[in-house]
Amino acid sequence: MDPVPDVLREDPVPRRIAFVSPCGGGNLGDAAIIDSLIGGIRARVPDAEIVGFTGNPGDTARRHGVDAFPLRAALGVQTPAAAADGAEPVGEEPAHRGEPLWKRLLRRVPAAQSSRRTAVRLMADTRYYRQVEQRLRGYDLIVVAGGGQFDELFGGPFRHPYTLWRFGMMARSVGARFAILSVGTGTLRRVGRLFVRRTLALADWASFRDSRSRQLVGAGAARAAVVPDLAYGRQLERQPAPVAPADPSARSVVGVSPMAYGDPRFWPRHDQALYRQHVASLARLTIDLLGAGHEVVLFSTDGPDRLSVEELRSEVGPALRPEQRARLRVPEVGSVERLLEILGSVEVVVAARFHGVLLAHLVGRPALAIAHERKVSTLMDEMGQSRFCTPIDSFDVAGARRTFDEMHAGRAALAADIRTRVAQYRRRVDDQYDRLLGLSPSQTLAGVS
């Protein structure tokens, strides 16, 4: 893994910091990243003023205790007080009551309507970014806060890639440093990749969460470091018990977490057949595990996955005897801390989402990963766990059960190795915070200008 360059070491300690993230839709991996970032800042600059620009300002204010504003014009404009009260964002389309007849008729012409919508959005964008730039004046540092933000899957290149470029431009305009921390790369085509490269060109500091993400961006990413996902820096309020060596045939508590991949209700690339296959195959595996005497805990790590969990439970239920049904639990998961508590209570995990696997590793639990995207297999490769990773579209219950049995039998040694690697990753994330903020947690701010 690349060393972290010392490019910001001589700059003044930042006191006013803004972060950018699409978080707020219930994704607890994103929430863990923001917990890590805010905790890393507070440990080093306790009196720092922190503000977020996020996909759900109300959730950000409630969950993380910082002022927050909408990430894009389409989300409306809120004050921190309104966001904390959970007020709905103001839409970008104005009301049409009282318009002249010719305007109402023109609205019915498809081409004119499309052109008008584009013009309205452009005007809303211009107005919104002007307001944001005013808010950012006086800030020392603007941070792209980790996660898979270099991605155009949800909304295309003019959604998040464009938004990040605009924030980079605003950082330059207001004289703030601009840092990109441990980002991942998802779907990027020509225009999206162009926005990403221009965003990187504006950065005083840039790092990717894995070397493959950096390679996928290509030109413009060579000077960026590789620093693990920021969620590795999330502090644990309780240290989970280590996985003790046991009889390989002993019964265990197993966490199972499906996801809404391909679900037309939530996923931009609709694949109902693959989604149903995913839920059905996890249902068969769950029935198999309960039949073998294990206890199973079904859990979600993102908002849309709650329905997947309920559908999985419904599919499993009719096949279970009362004694098996008693060993199936579906706890409420509303916070990162609760998720980590649940993960710490199981011995092994079967999960599809990237952060479902990563947060299982964070608490020292081996995971059978069901890879829906390259990022999941990359995570497992770098953790030395690639043999416990299977693609979602070729998931085979019998093969998965054999892989699970191998993982279960060696779970204590696997967990020990995972804890060692996670500790190394945490140090890398902490080192990035040290260098970005100009001092370590043990240093005071006395004498620092």
Side-chain angles (χ1 to χ4, degrees):
M1 193 168 287
D2 296 356
V4 178
D6 220 1
V7 296
L8 297 179
R9 195 61 159 170
E10 296 180 1
D11 286 330
V13 173
R15 313 275 183 174
R16 303 186 73 202
I17 302 169
F19 67 85
V20 179
S21 169
C23 67
N27 188 309
L28 296 179
D30 287 344
I33 285 171
I34 303 306
D35 281 347
S36 169
L37 177 70
I38 293 174
I41 294 170
R42 295 283 187 225
R44 292 157 178 83
V45 191
D47 62 347
E49 177 186 340
I50 305 173
V51 66
F53 289 85
T54 70
N56 186 337
D59 179 84
T60 304
R62 289 188 297 270
R63 192 182 295 275
H64 303 288
V66 297
D67 286 348
F69 298 94
L71 182 64
R72 290 180 297 276
L75 296 172
V77 177
Q78 292 175 303
T79 65
D85 289 339
E88 291 295 322
V90 178
E92 61 180 301
E93 292 286 346
H96 306 306
R97 289 190 299 273
E99 281 189 341
L101 177 61
W102 69 269
K103 283 190 176 181
R104 279 180 277 158
L105 291 174
L106 190 62
R107 196 183 307 286
R108 299 187 183 189
V109 180
Q113 187 175 1
S114 175
S115 299
R116 180 187 170 280
R117 285 175 179 167
T118 300
V120 167
R121 290 193 180 101
L122 286 173
M123 288 187 291
D125 247 15
T126 301
R127 184 167 58 250
Y128 167 75
Y129 285 118
R130 190 181 300 124
Q131 294 172 346
V132 172
E133 187 170 322
Q134 287 301 316
R135 286 189 180 123
L136 289 174
R137 292 197 181 279
Y139 277 80
D140 308 305
L141 176 64
I142 298 170
V143 175
V144 176
Q149 296 202 53
F150 283 170
D151 189 7
E152 63 177 74
L153 178 62
F154 290 85
F158 285 94
R159 187 158 178 162
H160 205 62
Y162 171 77
T163 298
L164 295 180
W165 173 69
R166 289 300 300 256
F167 270 90
M169 292 291 288
M170 287 186 290
R172 181 69 59 88
S173 177
V174 302
R177 285 179 288 161
F178 184 51
I180 300 167
L181 302 186
S182 302
V183 293
T185 305
T187 299
L188 283 179
R189 299 179 182 86
R190 185 172 61 87
V191 176
R193 187 171 283 106
L194 177 62
F195 278 131
V196 164
R197 289 173 178 172
R198 289 189 172 181
T199 302
L200 286 166
L202 295 167
D204 299 283
W205 170 278
S207 62
F208 288 84
R209 68 184 176 194
D210 59 76
S211 57
R212 181 64 178 145
S213 287
R214 183 174 64 179
Q215 291 168 4
L216 289 171
V217 171
R223 69 186 183 95
V226 175
V227 180
D229 194 279
L230 296 184
Y232 287 112
R234 208 275 186 184
Q235 296 299 315
L236 301 179
E237 296 180 20
R238 301 180 186 86
Q239 290 297 326
V243 177
D247 179 351
S249 63
R251 298 174 180 179
S252 292
V253 184
V254 182
V256 176
S257 183
M259 71 174 293
Y261 181 74
D263 186 344
R265 294 168 296 185
F266 307 107
W267 206 259
R269 294 175 182 163
H270 298 176
D271 195 333
Q272 176 73 11
L274 179 57
Y275 172 68
R276 293 308 315 159
Q277 175 189 322
H278 169 60
V279 173
S281 58
L282 275 185
R284 292 196 298 274
L285 180 62
T286 299
I287 294 167
D288 200 12
L289 293 172
L290 289 165
H294 298 294
E295 180 178 343
V296 175
V297 178
L298 304 182
F299 68 95
S300 62
T301 63
D302 200 351
D305 300 346
R306 293 175 187 172
L307 276 178
S308 303
V309 167
E310 286 304 315
E311 290 171 354
L312 175 55
R313 175 162 63 174
S314 296
E315 193 151 338
V316 166
L320 301 181
R321 299 188 302 273
E323 173 271 329
Q324 293 173 331
R325 196 172 292 113
R327 287 187 275 109
L328 178 67
R329 293 190 291 115
V330 187
E332 284 292 323
V333 186
S335 68
V336 177
E337 192 55 38
R338 176 60 176 149
L339 173 60
L340 294 175
E341 180 184 337
I342 291 167
L343 289 169
S345 72
V346 306
E347 291 184 89
V348 288
V349 171
V350 180
R353 279 203 185 266
F354 176 86
H355 278 104
V357 176
L358 188 153
L359 293 175
H361 289 164
L362 185 66
V363 297
R365 297 311 188 246
L368 172 57
I370 303 170
H372 67 288
E373 288 183 357
R374 181 268 317 162
K375 61 184 178 182
V376 180
S377 56
T378 299
L379 170 67
M380 293 295 281
D381 287 345
E382 295 192 343
M383 189 58 69
Q385 303 284 306
S386 57
R387 67 188 185 279
F388 303 119
C389 183
T390 181
I392 194 169
D393 56 357
S394 60
F395 185 88
D396 168 68
V397 177
R401 179 60 198 274
R402 289 192 296 271
T403 303
F404 173 87
D405 288 344
E406 178 190 351
M407 182 178 70
H408 181 253
R411 62 192 181 278
L414 291 170
D417 183 59
I418 287 168
R419 286 196 301 273
T420 298
R421 290 177 187 255
V422 166
Q424 295 169 351
Y425 286 4
R426 184 187 297 276
R427 286 194 291 272
R428 289 282 300 171
V429 172
D430 283 343
D431 185 48
Q432 179 169 239
Y433 289 146
D434 287 346
R435 293 170 186 265
L436 181 71
L437 298 169
L439 73 168
S440 68
S442 60
Q443 292 175 296
T444 68
L445 295 180
V448 180
S449 60

